[in-house]
Amino acid sequence: MSARERLVESARELLWERGYVGTSPKTIQERAEAGQGSMYHHFASKQDLARAAIDRTAEEMREAVDAQLSGPGPAVGRIAAYLRRERDVLRGCPIGRLTQDPDVMATPTLRGPVEETFAWLRARLAAVVQEGADHGELESSVDPDSTAAAIVATLQGGYVLARAAGASEPFEQAIAGILALLDARTVR
């Protein structure tokens, strides 16, 4: 892995673990086993490196979600598979955790990919819900946009509840709850 790649990967891990403020350039360099000169050769600032790290995380998240939601099977089944996929619940969502970082949210360059990723996720889920309605799997009265927003809010809120409890059960309950609500709108 090149020095640039090691810096981006180290920044990704540290942003997830510590947030933007808690991630110093020195810590990134140490984890990446790269010197200060190397870091500033590839990136003009910590903010530029953080943007590259956030972009990479967002891209990987979109690819994984899209692959799962584009798979075979009924719409509700694909949504359920996405929500129930294996994840490190107590670490939280690497993009969602950034919303709790005031410096990320106050910096348009860093906030942009976070906002775009959640907009994409809501739109992608809304498309799957619409597909379910169009194929008669879900009631035609289901609002795809509201349903997608509820799914994303439940997923992100589930992470918060699990982290607060120090256990994955609240996350699992939140997912079971949203899936039960979705199931209630399934055409039998």
Side-chain angles (χ1 to χ4, degrees):
M1 197 182 305
S2 70
R4 184 184 193 288
E5 289 302 306
R6 289 193 318 270
L7 287 162
V8 170
E9 288 304 310
S10 296
R12 288 177 64 194
E13 293 168 10
L14 289 163
L15 286 170
W16 194 3
E17 292 168 14
R18 303 178 182 188
Y20 184 73
V21 172
T23 300
S24 70
K26 182 176 178 152
T27 306
I28 295 169
Q29 293 161 20
E30 288 172 355
R31 185 169 288 192
E33 297 179 353
Q36 182 177 6
S38 180
M39 180 173 158
Y40 291 108
H41 169 74
H42 296 290
F43 302 97
S45 65
K46 173 186 168 184
Q47 184 178 14
D48 287 344
L49 174 53
R51 174 62 190 245
I54 295 168
D55 284 343
R56 172 87 48 84
T57 299
E59 179 183 336
E60 285 184 8
M61 181 177 144
R62 285 190 302 268
E63 287 174 4
V65 170
D66 193 51
Q68 196 137 36
L69 293 177
S70 297
V76 173
R78 286 180 280 141
I79 292 169
Y82 162 64
L83 292 174
R84 290 184 176 139
R85 75 180 169 93
E86 189 173 322
R87 52 184 97 221
D88 190 348
V89 173
L90 296 181
R91 282 188 79 192
C93 172
I95 296 294
R97 289 203 43 195
L98 294 172
T99 65
Q100 299 169 20
D101 191 317
D103 286 329
V104 170
M105 292 295 95
T107 308
T109 301
L110 300 178
R111 180 188 180 122
V114 173
E115 195 172 3
E116 291 163 13
T117 299
F118 280 120
W120 176 87
L121 181 58
R122 287 191 316 273
R124 186 67 185 93
L125 284 164
V128 176
V129 170
Q130 183 64 59
E131 181 185 324
D134 290 347
H135 291 116
E137 180 184 343
L138 291 168
E139 296 173 0
S140 61
S141 61
V142 170
D143 178 4
D145 293 327
S146 297
T147 302
I151 292 168
V152 173
T154 300
L155 180 65
Q156 292 301 315
Y159 282 125
V160 171
L161 294 174
R163 287 178 56 84
S168 62
E169 287 79 18
F171 178 88
E172 293 160 7
Q173 289 173 328
I175 297 307
I178 195 70
L179 289 174
L181 292 172
L182 198 55
D183 185 60
R185 303 297 302 270
T186 299
V187 175
R188 308 268 182 238

